[in-house]
Amino acid sequence: MSQQIKYSIIFTVLILTQVICIIKAHKSEKPIKKYISKVNLAVILPLWSNLIIIGSHNRIISIIGYYLYYIGMTLVMVTLVAFTNSYCQGIRREGEKEQKPTIMYIIGTIDLLQMGILSICNKVFLVEPIIIDNKLYYKSIPLLGLTLHRIIDYVIFGAIILMYIIAILKTAKIYREKFYVILTTLFISGLAQGYYITANMDIDKSVIIHSIFILILFYLALYHRPLRLLDTMLSNVVSDMNDAIFVFNNKNECIWANDVGYNLLNIPIGKTNKVKPAIKERFGDLENRQENWIEDVFLAENKEYFIIEKKSVKTDNKLLDGSFLVIKDSTARRIQVEKELYDSSHDSLTKLYNAPYLYSCIEKTLHTITSIGKKYCVIYIDIKNFKIVNDIFGKKFGDQVLIQVADWLRTNMKSREIIYGRLVGDIFGIFMPVDLFDEQLFLNKFSNFIVSNNEINHQIYVHIGIYNIKDKKLDVSIMFDRAHLAIANNTDKYETIIKYYDNTIRNEILDEQKLISSLDDALKTNQIIPYLQPITDINGKVIGAEALARWIHPEQGCMPPYKFIPVFERNGLITKLDKHIWECACELLSTWKNKDLFKDLFISINISPKDFYFTDIVDTLMTLTQKYEINPKLLRIEITETVMMSNFEDKVKIFNKLRELGFIVEIDDFGSGYSSLSLLKDMPADVLKIDMKFLSNNTKSQTIIKNVINLSNDLNITSLTEGIETESQFNQLIDMGCSLFQGYYFAKPMAITDFEQFVKERRCV
Ligand code: C2E
Ligand code: CA
Ligand code: CA
């Protein structure tokens, strides 16, 4: 084969290859594609022109071919500059502006111009006919134009090399690889060109090297993935991971592990041969399983949790390349999750279930119960006056009480069928089969539940409401509501009680609702009126009276306060009722003003603890005395001692204010609550009302009453004893130094007219 044919084939193949590259580049998504395809396009011109030169055997056509070749090479250089500029962009630092290689474009233009100008006077090159393999071939002999063109091309070439060298210096090590390849090929094609020029070869073959170089560029720009970069990055990621990673080859020998892995197994770093035995020792035999698996492992010894995952790696032809094992220590996470779960389902103080969790457990149990006929109940335990425990003994002590109840439940409610928890504050809830409920057990514990600190032993009462579950589909919260309703009407009972929700309770609640809805009407139509019970001095002379509410009900007749006062106290409506009674008392005092027999009599009114929340007592009483123009001295104010148990200081202020305004303040029901004698000296009261019924059942009652009377006398507080039923009681109290007296012995509470009549008759005696 002649040289011409050989090179023609090579040039044609190269042209086709470049065309394919252009088509391929067109499909690529990389922005660099437009630069590389321009280079591919540019190099087609010198290839094609060389094809013309080699195949023409005609002088003119050869000259045109050489011109096209040189112009083509300049275009290749210029497009290469543009490509290189863009390709090396990656190394530019953030914020650095892209600089266009304008100078290089100008130099390229100058080259084309000089060749154009010098071609006019035939100063670019000459062609010389030579015979190669018996065929005519025109070889070019450089003149000024071609020499200048070659110099310019080498300048641009040098600039391109410089751009790559700068790129190599500026870029990270792992990226340099591609620049080295380019630089090397660039060098080779530069040398090839130089060799052709200096060796004065017949056929210029340097364009072959150039076009191969451009093919390499094409590959690097569009297809080369820096594998080493990926490898380095991946291995860094794996090494830095918090999980232990072990890599095995296809013979299942450990070939690599990260530091976490060695540390986890407690073996020296790098000792891959120790990995497998160490894994076996720690986690048992993990072999003989499927290829890919993941498993949660719990090591009971140290209470550790792990997630172990094994994955096989296969080549495309499905042959095993190896595998890797990832061991994730999930202990901390598990503990955290368990803690979160515990916290969200348990009460932090007593460590019992909280209400939402208790409800959901009960719901689940009720849902799964299969044994027909077995009966269940929910139990609602409310610690009475827990606020007072907190107030007197302190919150810490109150917490102790709750913990004691919780501990008792833990030790006594051990059956798996019993579920219990703390519903809220001082309320506990239990769910259990009815046959397991031992009423006596609860009564024994809570009838004698005494908490004590250094000074005081305090008896705690609980109210226990029970709802026997009839409808298992009923909302659990409603079941507990019903258990609560069973004791709702007993808030004023200071003893431990157990009550069942039944129809009576239902009816009571309905009755209560009726009372509540008829209160306004009853007040308007004067169904609710004060009865008066006389208060006497040591001579039995009536000096005043206590106003005690009575509801003269159209259907039920004269209703005593215990039937309605607690109802209204529970919901705060008591204040409405009290204000009405206070007003009646003031009105009465104003009518007595001008009657000699009555003008000095006082009336004691009752203040409910709730009144402190719902009204400004001082202001209301002041307004009333002004409205009825009565002397505040004649209006005595009875406040139960339990009121003093909370916000003592605030209460002291209110008491002082009332006393400043001239009212007489009485501490009612002394002995019923928890007030200590020491508290008495700080209470700004004028009268101490001691209730016989609270103290008479005590064997030491005589002594206690005597001491209380003595103390109040010492403190300059008038002592009044109520609940006197016999003459001997009266005489005893006189002996003890008591000043004022009230009780059935003198008279029961009576209607106003009856009272007035009573006073008249007494005076006449
Ligand atoms: P209290 O303020 O301690 O009133 C004294 C209660 O003892 C009265 O019962 C009275 O009838 C009763 N009593 C008086 N002497 C004797 C006696 O010798 N033996 C016995 N066993 N009892 C005697 P009442 O009227 O049924 O009132 C009960 C409670 O209802 C009162 O206790 C008071 O806390 C409350 N209450 C009555 N009226 C009102 C009121 O208008 N407003 C408020 N907030 N509470 C009232
Ligand atoms: Ca009273
Ligand atoms: Ca009383």
Side-chain angles (χ1 to χ4, degrees), residues 239 241-246 257-269 275 278-279 282-283 325 327:
S239 306
M241 262 162 73
N242 293 327
D243 305 339
I245 293 167
F246 306 94
N258 61 357
D259 290 359
V260 184
Y262 291 116
N263 291 340
L264 175 77
L265 299 176
N266 252 331
I267 53 175
I269 287 174
V275 165
I279 288 178
R282 186 92 189 263
F283 299 99
L325 191 73
I327 302 182

Side-chain angles (χ1 to χ4, degrees), residues 546 606 638 640 668-670 689 691 693-694 722 742:
E546 178 178 3
N606 287 286
E638 293 193 5
T640 52
D668 197 3
D669 294 351
F670 190 84
K689 245 182 135 169
D691 197 323
K693 77 168 169 273
F694 297 124
E722 61 177 325
Q742 181 186 349

Side-chain angles (χ1 to χ4, degrees), residues 32 80 83-92 160-188 213 216-217 219-221 224 226 228-229:
I32 195 85
L80 255 181
F83 167 81
T84 309
N85 189 56
S86 170
Y87 193 58
C88 296
Q89 244 184 53
I91 58 146
R92 202 164 287 126
I160 292 169
I161 287 184
L162 200 67
M163 283 162 94
Y164 281 112
I165 291 174
I166 292 171
I168 286 171
L169 293 177
K170 274 190 169 180
T171 194
K173 221 176 180 179
I174 36 178
Y175 288 103
R176 284 183 196 160
E177 169 194 6
K178 62 177 183 182
F179 293 125
Y180 281 136
V181 177
I182 294 172
L183 207 57
T184 317
T185 6
L186 207 55
F187 240 88
I188 293 169
F213 161 70
I216 293 170
L217 272 195
Y219 168 75
L220 289 176
H224 174 70
R228 270 181 40 209
L229 166 71

Side-chain angles (χ1 to χ4, degrees), residues 21-34 36-37 218 221-223:
C21 285
I22 292 166
I23 295 167
K24 283 232 160 205
H26 186 69
K27 287 178 187 158
S28 166
E29 305 219 316
K30 293 192 175 179
I32 195 85
K33 73 172 184 185
K34 69 174 185 203
I36 190 64
S37 54
F218 173 82
L222 294 184
Y223 295 105

Side-chain angles (χ1 to χ4, degrees), residues 99-157:
Q99 285 168 346
K100 286 230 147 81
T102 324
I103 299 179
M104 294 298 128
Y105 299 154
I106 294 170
I107 292 174
T109 317
I110 291 171
D111 183 29
L112 295 179
L113 284 176
Q114 66 89 15
M115 279 200 288
I117 293 163
L118 290 176
S119 69
I120 298 168
C121 46
N122 264 338
K123 281 273 190 314
V124 180
F125 59 88
L126 285 177
V127 287
E128 191 183 84
I130 53 166
I131 300 295
I132 300 171
D133 290 342
N134 287 331
K135 286 207 173 108
L136 191 61
Y137 176 80
Y138 287 94
K139 182 185 170 187
S140 79
I141 313 286
L143 296 178
L144 179 64
L146 184 55
T147 315
L148 276 177
H149 163 75
R150 282 176 175 162
I151 292 168
I152 289 172
D153 272 7
Y154 269 103
V155 167
I156 300 176
F157 188 76

